[in-house]
Amino acid sequence: MNDWSIGISTGCFYQTSIFDCLPVIRENGFNLIEVCFSPAHLDYHDSDAVHRAASRVAELGMSAYSFHAPFAANIDISSTDPHQRDLALAEILRAAEAAAILSVRYFVMHPGPEQPATRPADERFERMKNSVAVLDAVSHRCHELGITCVLENKLPHLLFGNSADVLWILDAMKRTDVGACLDTGHGFLSGDLPSMVHKLAGHLKMIHAHDNRGHGDDHLPPGDGCIDWPRLLSQLARFGFGGAFILELAGAGDAATTMANARRGRSFLIELARRLAFTESSKSQ
């Protein structure tokens, strides 16, 4: 059983300046982070602010593992309007430049816009091809910047929100070094988390770890919802997953409660991994 690293997304403090929350995260024993793109948190358009954030991360003995690319209904990499696609590409490339300044390993992207999946079949296919073209451009620039682009599975009601779509897009892309980020909460709401792990295993670089009760995207700490974590971790170990778990939790209103939730989720995963490792070791004796 792998000794996986466990970090946290700064997205749980997306309405707070990154300079205020970094010390809090570090004081609670986390040194691995994913940086959130929220303007109130860190404006990736402000190169000076990004450089200062990178310096602060280093001063605190922390490491920026990943950066989440911006996503919104109007950042539409699949748009049938070329001008809108160009605007979306420019926005994402600007975020990739910020990610490189932070020296991240992975640049996490949604493979499509935050729009409903209900589209006519011909339009849907055209949009998938458009997404591939934009993602090819992004992944090429990421390669130049020394970072790896990874695609995250989305909520099931959104365009390209199922594992088959993610796999189609990955297979259609020109670059072969593009990976996948498994979002556990999204996968669980899709109803096929176990098969999603199997399908994405060959591409899997990192995990967005959070829980829910099967009804909404609650972003609960692992163990607080209904995900079968023993099965999930056993699958990941069996497939040889060697990346990090990034806790992607909802903010709880105050920093102390948010970080208490994060510590509980981390402890749950660590203890579960230890128990599964002990079980596997006992079987082999």
Side-chain angles (χ1 to χ4, degrees):
M1 184 69 67
N2 289 11
D3 184 17
W4 293 300
S5 298
I6 301 175
I8 187 171
S9 168
T10 64
C12 56
F13 296 109
Y14 76 97
Q15 294 179 314
T16 302
S17 168
I18 193 170
F19 299 101
D20 293 331
C21 72
L22 282 175
V24 175
I25 292 171
R26 188 68 186 95
E27 288 163 6
N28 281 271
F30 288 89
N31 58 14
L32 193 69
I33 58 170
E34 175 173 288
V35 178
C36 156
F37 67 88
S38 167
H41 182 67
L42 176 63
D43 184 358
Y44 58 84
H45 300 92
D46 186 342
S47 179
D48 179 64
V50 177
H51 277 284
R52 287 189 291 111
S55 296
R56 187 60 174 143
V57 168
E59 288 169 3
L60 290 167
M62 303 171 78
S63 176
Y65 186 74
S66 50
F67 184 100
H68 204 308
F71 58 89
N74 64 328
I75 301 178
D76 188 354
I77 65 174
S78 76
S79 176
T80 55
D81 179 351
H83 178 64
Q84 190 172 9
R85 287 202 309 276
D86 288 344
L87 290 175
L89 174 60
E91 193 69 15
I92 292 167
L93 291 179
R94 193 153 190 178
E97 299 283 346
I101 292 170
L102 289 158
S103 300
V104 304
R105 183 178 299 183
Y106 298 118
F107 186 63
V108 183
M109 283 196 64
H110 289 182
E114 304 305 288
Q115 297 177 10
T118 51
R119 304 279 180 179
D122 56 345
E123 179 189 340
R124 195 172 186 279
F125 184 58
E126 181 184 357
R127 283 178 170 272
M128 287 186 78
K129 292 190 294 183
N130 291 342
S131 287
V132 168
V134 173
L135 290 168
D136 271 329
V138 173
S139 61
H140 177 75
R141 183 58 181 145
C142 283
H143 179 75
E144 292 178 335
L145 293 168
I147 57 182
T148 298
C149 180
V150 297
L151 306 186
E152 174 187 351
N153 58 298
K154 297 162 59 182
L155 288 166
H157 70 280
L158 296 174
L159 195 61
F160 314 142
N162 61 65
S163 57
D165 289 338
V166 177
L167 286 170
W168 190 95
I169 290 170
L170 282 167
D171 289 342
M173 291 179 68
K174 294 176 182 177
R175 297 201 63 87
T176 59
D177 57 351
V178 178
C181 168
L182 175 67
D183 187 294
T184 61
H186 297 171
F188 184 61
L189 290 171
S190 296
D192 66 343
L193 182 56
S195 65
M196 192 170 288
V197 176
H198 178 76
K199 292 172 183 176
L200 296 178
H203 303 277
L204 202 53
K205 302 297 184 184
M206 59 178 290
I207 306 291
H208 275 169
H210 56 101
D211 213 333
N212 62 66
R213 299 185 178 93
H215 305 293
D217 193 24
D218 304 315
H219 285 262
L220 301 173
D224 280 16
C226 299
I227 290 178
D228 186 348
W229 291 96
R231 182 180 183 184
L232 176 60
L233 266 59
S234 294
Q235 275 190 293
L236 291 171
R238 188 164 62 253
F239 287 123
F241 173 70
F245 285 69
I246 298 295
L247 298 174
E248 197 179 49
L249 308 181
D254 66 278
T257 303
T258 296
M259 293 313 303
N261 289 340
R263 293 195 309 272
R264 187 173 70 256
R266 178 182 58 187
S267 296
F268 173 83
L269 291 175
I270 291 172
E271 179 58 29
L272 178 56
R274 286 175 178 166
R275 282 193 277 117
L276 291 172
F278 177 78
T279 300
E280 291 301 314
S281 176
S282 299
K283 287 180 181 178
S284 64
Q285 294 177 0

